[in-house]
Amino acid sequence: MSEPFRLPDGGRIDRSRRLAFTFDGRGYSGFAGDTLASALLANGVRLVARSMKYHRPRGIMTAGVEEPNALLTIGDGELATPNMKATEVALYDGLAARSQNVWPTLAYDAGAVNQWLAPLLPAGFYYKTFMASQGFWQHLAEPFIRRAAGFGQAPGRADADSYDHRHVHADVAIVGGGPAGLAAALVAARAGLRVVLADMGSGLGGSLLYRDGEIDGRPARQWLEAACQELEASPAVRLLRRTVVTGHYDQGYLVAVERRREPGLRASGRGGPAERVWHVRASRVVLATGAHERPLVFPDNDRPGVMLAGAALSYLRQHAVAVGRAPLVFTQNDTAYETAFALARSGWSRVAAIVDTRTEPTPHLLAEAEGLGIRVERAAVVVGVKGRAGVQSAEIMTLAPDGGAVRGEARAVDCDSILVSGGWSPAAHLFAHVGGKLVWDEAAHCFRPERPVTGVALAGAVNATFALADVLAEGRAAGAGTNAPAGAPGGAQGGASGPSAAPLWQVPLPRSRTKKARKAFVDLQNDTTAGDIQLAAREGYAAVEHMKRYTLTGFGTDQGKLGNVNGLAILAAATGRSIGATGHTTFRPPYVPVSFGALAGVERGDLLDPVRRTPLHAWHRAHGAVFEDVGQWKRPWYYPKSGEDMHAAVARECAAVRTAVGLLDASTLGKIDVRGPDAGRFLDMIYTGRMSNLGVGRVRYGVMCKEDGMVFDDGTVTRLAEDRFLVTTTTGGAARVLDWLEEYLQTEWPSLRVYANSLTEQLATIAVAGPKSRELLARVSRGVDLAAETFGFMTCREGEVAGVGARLMRISFSGELGFEIVLPAGSAMAVWEALMTAGKDLGITPYGTEAMHLLRAEKGYIIVGQETDGTQTPFDLGLGWLVAMAKPDFIGKRSYARDDTRREDRKQLVGLLPDDATLVLPEGAQLVETPVKLADVPRFRPPDTGGPIYVDGEPVPVPMLGHVTSSYASAALGRSFALALVKGGRQRHGQTLYAPLETRTVACRIVDPVLYDPEGKRRDG
């Protein structure tokens, strides 16, 4: 297992643990401590991917999260994870990686034809070429583009990994474990503060892991080792390694994703989550996120073998991998020299040359280069690259003093890699997430934070501070909660010093090559070239956000980490503005891609939404109930007996309620205890009706409306005492109603002395309905006079049912004599079984939600969410009697003064009787005023038709007057019926409307929605 680019010693790898892996089916090996990227480079694998748009050969460009090229699929089957950056995947034994967006193979990709079609595929080509014909775009162009361009495919199988979320609080949260972050953590921990430090690397240290320097008179690595030991031993410090903070929000809230197991690796034993999302809340946040090295923009700068100089240094010192035998270093600042010197000293690489754009590089660096035998080409640039699947040589030319042109003859330099450094961009994304402003720094040639944000401190390179002494000083000040200016005394020497750079945003081309210039890439991930940005400027997309969307610069996983500043500088030059005046794009979370699994955590499958069961669930299941999901609740839908389908079971259950007695488990209704001296006043404002004058022991039905006057929820209010009410809500509305009450108590009327608490889980409700319900309750209750004269409709009494203390309420949702028993949830099973036993000879029957819906529809009772869709007022539903307009105010009252809420053609609740009494109209069926011959109605409007289409003198589409909300076959009525919302419905009673169905048009007569016992005689038994 040869690794031709692995040094014989050095690095932070464990050479005693050799690991086998495959890439595109071919076997390789590496060591524990490698990343997939370092292992591929050690094995001499340069070509790892094809670009998104042009399918150009691409290699590894970076060593971190900013990697634009090496996006691979890791694992197979249900463990396959696409779009993983090879630079972030830790190598493990058996790892299987494969390339993406290629066919049939990576080396021979048919999509490479796009390179020849490049003149037809400029920035914005899809806008210009395909949008003229909608059909062509939808059916041919868009599907082709989606197949030809893009990245990996999501696996078709369910994700086999697990994920979870954790919450943690801290006095100080530090993002970044480099020298600034470590210095801040040490100061904060020594002060006794709770510290959370998150770093994306497997080892803390940041640039100290591969750059030279001294701290406190000793090598920086010794200081690093001591700092890590101290922090690990501190009980007040939580270290989150391999954790990327993806979002920074107000009031010290951070969201971070920790990778705990590599993608594609099957969990062993009990396993554990593959990823964990940390929700961190901190009093103070320290951002020590460092900076991203920028590439340089020159022709063919995307060839495999072109890499950031800092990345090459990291691979050399952390993984003992030389990225080339004869590398060429191309830079405009000092930091790349350390890479050249380290490669030369390794004895493995012969540095071909250092090409520096500056006329006078830093003198001591020139002297060191001379001592190592490295030629430095001053005032020079790379103008071309030879080699398609990898760098074979570079062409260099002399740069004119003004940087705007090249001169002289091109000179070829043999090399197998080009290590570039175009300066450094502070990783200020998290600072911008909380509204932090960035300003262009002419001295540092980067956007840096302009002014502080409350509760957020910045330290190190994120502040455009690069000298190690200054970085440490800023870190210590941030950890102590003070602000220290850059350059404060820090006790450190050397390190990654300031760039001392001469900015060069795009290498100029010789005049002889401008017409046939090869592509110079700004955003490698999205195949955006310098020419694309210049084209966008010429076509009027001069604003940075417009340019971004037109050219895709900064889209994808890059989010401006590599190409942003170069792109902005090229746009600025094309528009004649300064970079500062041009501005920058908006940084938004997430900082790096986050898997859907991590976002979901444990909330998937059966845990996607909590499953709630009533205290009687076991009885329902044992007696054959078929359940339906209502909100989060499992509710009995119907109880089929042997040989019954749903319709037969529902008909039997309804007949029992209409002729004998039925039991319904209504425990899922929301139950909210509202109490306090001002509870009555508060409920007057919440409900459209008046509740403050409700007597103790009385029940009142009411509706709640939003501010726009539309119905929000409905239910009953029972006054239990002068200062206490029991509010019921719909099953699905319990949580949102409680939120609604709390919102108004906390934000609008905080002076009211009112407390609202949910009792939905603590109380069970059993509805007893039917003409024999009073007789049934008389057999099992004590202490309650059930006579109609003393226990009237909409009243509440307390007593015992089957020996259990309970409240009995005279409420009916079926139109029959009815009671609701409200009792402690733990006693519900005993009471239910006692009722079923006592009612055997009365024909007692449990009934489910389907029968309940049919019974209430026969009486014209609404269900919020079925007869409403957020656009109905109480008046539309025939509930105007519930609106107390004489009240000084209530939520929604002002909306009823709007002309729109008083229109005569608003949709109103009506009943429908189809002419075909056996036909149950489909719910949602549209209603029209004139019959429609379906055979004559075109399926779509021809694209060349300008005006309306008429069929038999009627316009098509036919104007819709309303729709069916509920529809049933009723044994009590001896026919089918429906409820509907119809424009001006109450004025249309007796009229006929039509429902166009798939194969026929059905005539329906509009009637009053109360179809069963309209006088209400059965309600009292």
Side-chain angles (χ1 to χ4, degrees):
M1 293 185 178
S2 174
E3 295 176 277
F5 289 86
R6 180 82 71 179
L7 275 64
D9 51 31
R12 300 167 59 87
I13 54 176
D14 183 354
R15 295 176 185 266
S16 67
R17 295 175 57 200
R18 184 170 285 279
L19 307 174
F21 71 100
T22 63
F23 175 58
D24 279 349
R26 183 174 180 180
Y28 300 95
S29 70
F31 293 107
D34 266 324
T35 64
L36 176 57
S38 67
L40 288 170
L41 290 169
N43 283 274
V45 178
R46 292 191 171 191
L47 176 61
V48 297
R50 291 279 178 164
S51 68
M52 182 191 75
K53 182 176 175 182
Y54 299 119
H55 288 246
R56 289 168 65 98
R58 291 286 169 81
I60 295 166
M61 182 73 180
T62 75
V65 297
E66 67 272 33
E67 173 59 38
N69 297 330
L71 273 64
L72 309 175
T73 295
I74 309 298
D76 297 305
E78 70 275 11
L79 292 172
T81 306
N83 301 325
M84 297 303 302
K85 297 172 184 173
T87 54
E88 293 185 282
V89 178
L91 192 68
Y92 60 86
D93 200 46
L95 184 151
R98 64 179 185 273
S99 53
Q100 305 175 156
N101 195 37
V102 298
W103 184 85
T105 67
L106 176 62
Y108 302 99
D109 179 22
V113 68
N114 284 0
Q115 297 179 56
W116 301 101
L117 299 176
L120 303 176
L121 306 174
F125 75 94
Y126 31 82
Y127 295 121
K128 305 170 187 176
T129 308
F130 299 129
M131 296 307 287
S133 171
Q134 185 175 357
F136 180 56
W137 169 258
Q138 290 179 335
H139 301 297
L140 181 63
E142 185 184 26
F144 173 78
I145 292 173
R146 288 191 180 279
R147 283 194 298 269
F151 303 107
Q153 293 184 346
R157 301 183 188 178
D159 189 353
D161 281 324
S162 62
Y163 308 84
D164 69 6
H165 288 210
R166 291 285 181 90
H167 296 258
V168 63
H169 292 75
D171 297 310
V172 182
I174 301 170
V175 185
L182 291 174
L186 288 170
V187 170
R190 290 167 184 168
L193 301 178
R194 294 174 302 166
V195 177
V196 171
L197 188 152
D199 186 81
M200 63 184 68
S202 56
L204 300 178
S207 62
L208 298 181
L209 294 172
Y210 58 92
R211 290 195 181 276
D212 294 329
E214 289 187 0
I215 302 176
D216 299 332
R218 55 178 171 167
R221 293 193 183 185
Q222 291 183 14
W223 178 89
L224 171 62
E225 183 177 349
C228 290
Q229 290 176 353
E230 180 178 344
L231 292 174
E232 288 171 347
S234 174
V237 177
R238 184 188 295 270
L239 299 177
L240 300 178
R241 294 181 175 87
R242 304 204 68 195
T243 302
V244 181
V245 176
T246 63
H248 183 194
Y249 306 90
D250 293 340
Q251 300 174 340
Y253 175 41
L254 303 170
V255 176
V257 180
E258 176 189 11
R259 182 178 298 169
R260 299 174 62 85
R261 187 170 67 250
E262 294 309 309
L265 182 63
R266 192 175 298 278
S268 59
R270 299 186 64 180
E275 292 180 306
R276 172 171 289 160
V277 175
W278 290 90
H279 301 267
V280 182
R281 294 194 179 274
S283 299
R284 289 192 291 116
V285 173
V286 176
L287 298 180
T289 48
H292 295 297
E293 191 170 19
R294 294 193 296 262
L296 286 161
V297 180
F298 56 93
D300 286 332
N301 61 337
D302 66 326
R303 293 301 186 198
V306 178
M307 179 184 290
L308 295 179
L313 183 62
S314 174
Y315 287 122
L316 179 69
R317 288 183 168 165
Q318 294 205 78
H319 306 287
V321 172
V323 297
R325 294 281 188 178
L328 179 147
V329 176
F330 179 24
T331 184
Q332 45 77 283
N333 65 80
D334 288 354
T335 57
Y337 278 75
E338 185 177 357
T339 301
F341 299 161
L343 285 167
R345 291 191 177 103
S346 73
W348 196 257
S349 301
R350 179 190 59 81
V351 178
I354 298 176
V355 178
D356 196 326
T357 65
R358 299 171 294 178
T359 304
E360 295 295 334
T362 305
H364 77 86
L365 296 177
L366 290 175
E368 191 170 351
E370 183 178 358
L372 290 170
I374 302 173
R375 182 173 90 255
V376 177
E377 296 279 352
R378 307 186 194 185
V381 290
V382 175
V383 296
V385 180
K386 297 295 184 182
R388 293 189 61 80
V391 174
Q392 296 176 355
S393 66
E395 288 184 299
I396 65 173
M397 295 184 71
T398 301
L399 185 66
D402 63 358
V406 289
R407 58 190 183 185
E409 295 295 324
R411 310 184 296 279
V413 178
D414 290 335
C415 58
D416 60 358
S417 58
I418 300 176
L419 311 182
V420 299
S421 180
W424 296 82
S425 298
H429 299 64
L430 298 178
F431 177 72
H433 287 180
V434 288
K437 303 300 181 184
L438 306 180
V439 63
W440 180 253
D441 188 323
E442 286 290 351
H445 313 298
C446 63
F447 282 101
R448 61 167 177 78
E450 180 181 14
R451 51 180 176 268
V453 171
T454 302
V456 180
L458 299 106
V462 68
N463 249 348
T465 300
F466 297 99
L468 183 55
D470 298 338
V471 166
L472 291 167
E474 288 189 1
R476 290 164 180 155
T482 61
N483 293 319
Q493 297 176 355
S497 62
S500 181
L504 179 68
W505 307 116
Q506 180 182 2
V507 170
L509 294 177
R511 292 180 181 178
S512 60
R513 299 190 184 187
T514 51
K515 289 187 178 181
K516 295 183 179 180
R518 304 191 68 82
K519 294 186 180 301
F521 287 90
V522 175
D523 185 324
L524 277 75
Q525 187 166 98
N526 296 293
D527 270 354
T528 304
T529 66
D532 290 332
I533 296 174
Q534 291 159 350
L535 174 64
R538 291 196 300 272
E539 296 191 350
Y541 296 93
V544 290
E545 297 291 355
H546 293 165
M547 179 275 289
K548 173 180 178 178
R549 283 150 183 81
Y550 197 66
T551 65
L552 302 184
T553 304
F555 271 69
T557 65
D558 179 80
Q559 290 297 304
K561 297 180 183 68
L562 281 184
N564 197 46
V565 172
N566 286 334
L568 298 175
I570 293 170
L571 178 65
T575 57
R577 298 173 295 181
S578 67
I579 300 175
T582 301
H584 59 84
T585 54
T586 302
F587 299 113
R588 299 182 178 91
Y591 175 64
V592 297
V594 181
S595 68
F596 287 118
L599 292 175
V602 299
E603 297 175 5
R604 59 179 185 162
D606 290 339
L607 299 178
L608 175 62
D609 206 24
V611 176
R612 304 173 74 182
R613 300 177 177 88
T614 74
L616 300 170
H617 183 84
W619 190 96
H620 303 316
R621 187 178 56 209
H623 288 77
V626 176
F627 293 94
E628 71 166 334
D629 294 328
V630 182
Q632 297 171 337
W633 290 96
K634 295 287 185 182
R635 296 199 69 178
W637 191 11
Y638 58 97
Y639 300 81
K641 290 187 175 182
S642 178
E644 286 185 336
D645 60 9
M646 185 182 80
H647 300 292
V650 171
R652 174 177 50 80
E653 293 168 16
C654 289
V657 174
R658 293 290 184 222
T659 61
V661 62
L663 286 190
L664 173 75
D665 183 1
S667 303
T668 61
L669 294 177
K671 296 172 281 289
I672 302 172
D673 182 85
V674 179
R675 65 174 70 192
D678 299 321
R681 287 176 53 203
F682 173 62
L683 293 178
D684 277 352
M685 296 295 290
I686 294 293
Y687 285 92
T688 60
R690 194 181 297 275
M691 299 297 175
S692 59
N693 62 355
L694 188 62
V696 175
R698 299 290 299 179
V699 184
R700 185 168 291 165
Y701 173 65
V703 296
M704 303 177 189
C705 293
K706 289 278 194 177
E707 293 91 341
D708 59 4
M710 306 304 160
V711 172
F712 169 55
D713 204 87
D714 71 340
T716 61
V717 176
T718 303
R719 191 162 201 163
L720 305 177
E722 287 297 326
D723 63 348
R724 187 180 179 192
F725 296 80
L726 180 65
V727 170
T728 67
T729 73
T730 58
T731 292
R736 70 171 181 262
V737 169
L738 183 61
D739 285 345
W740 184 249
L741 301 184
E742 287 291 352
E743 179 179 345
Y744 269 87
L745 281 173
Q746 295 182 34
T747 64
E748 301 298 326
W749 308 312
S751 62
L752 291 183
R753 296 166 295 170
V754 179
Y755 307 92
N757 293 284
S758 173
L759 298 178
T760 303
E761 302 280 1
Q762 286 70 36
L763 298 177
T765 301
I766 300 172
V768 184
K772 298 180 182 180
S773 56
R774 184 179 285 118
E775 182 179 353
L776 172 65
L777 285 175
R779 297 179 180 184
V780 296
S781 63
R782 293 177 54 190
V784 181
D785 185 353
L786 299 173
E789 298 78 15
T790 56
F791 195 176
F793 185 60
M794 301 299 277
T795 58
C796 174
R797 299 288 184 268
E798 294 189 359
E800 288 187 0
V801 179
V804 175
R807 295 191 184 96
L808 277 75
M809 301 177 182
R810 275 277 285 110
I811 298 173
S812 174
F813 197 48
S814 64
E816 301 293 340
L817 174 65
F819 299 82
E820 288 186 3
I821 306 169
V822 181
L823 69 162
S827 303
M829 183 69 79
V831 172
W832 179 277
E833 290 179 336
L835 289 167
M836 290 297 297
T837 300
K840 281 184 179 180
D841 61 326
L842 299 177
I844 191 168
T845 300
Y847 66 101
T849 54
E850 187 67 18
M852 176 193 71
H853 288 174
L854 194 159
L855 294 168
R856 64 89 199 170
E858 291 173 344
K859 287 291 293 179
Y861 296 154
I862 70 164
I863 291 181
V864 173
Q866 187 153 337
E867 271 66 51
T868 68
D869 60 7
T871 63
Q872 284 72 45
T873 70
F875 302 99
D876 300 333
L877 302 171
L879 300 176
W881 55 276
L882 289 174
V883 182
M885 293 299 291
K887 287 196 305 183
D889 200 6
F890 58 84
I891 299 174
K893 180 180 179 181
R894 282 171 288 179
S895 295
Y896 300 141
R898 295 170 49 230
D899 291 339
D900 181 70
T901 62
R902 295 182 294 180
R903 294 193 337 261
E904 294 183 359
D905 65 342
R906 286 186 61 83
K907 288 186 177 180
Q908 297 166 343
L909 185 67
V910 297
L912 283 183
L913 297 179
D915 279 2
D916 182 350
T918 65
L919 175 68
V920 177
L921 294 170
E923 293 179 353
Q926 296 293 311
L927 301 170
V928 299
E929 196 159 19
T930 57
V932 177
K933 297 178 182 178
L934 296 177
D936 293 336
V937 178
R939 293 294 181 186
F940 59 91
R941 176 176 296 183
D944 58 346
T945 301
I949 299 174
Y950 289 85
V951 176
D952 293 340
E954 294 294 332
V956 177
V958 179
M960 302 300 173
L961 296 180
H963 66 280
V964 175
T965 61
S966 300
S967 185
Y968 304 95
S970 168
L973 300 177
R975 58 162 301 121
S976 62
F977 76 101
L979 299 179
L981 290 169
V982 175
K983 291 182 179 180
R986 282 196 290 274
Q987 306 301 317
R988 294 177 178 269
H989 283 195
Q991 293 183 15
T992 298
L993 296 184
Y994 300 88
L997 305 182
E998 283 290 330
T999 58
R1000 58 189 289 201
T1001 297
V1002 179
C1004 309
R1005 182 163 53 93
I1006 296 180
V1007 296
D1008 188 89
V1010 183
L1011 295 167
Y1012 179 80
D1013 187 28
E1015 299 83 9
K1017 294 180 180 179
R1018 300 183 62 88
R1019 187 190 66 192
D1020 296 321

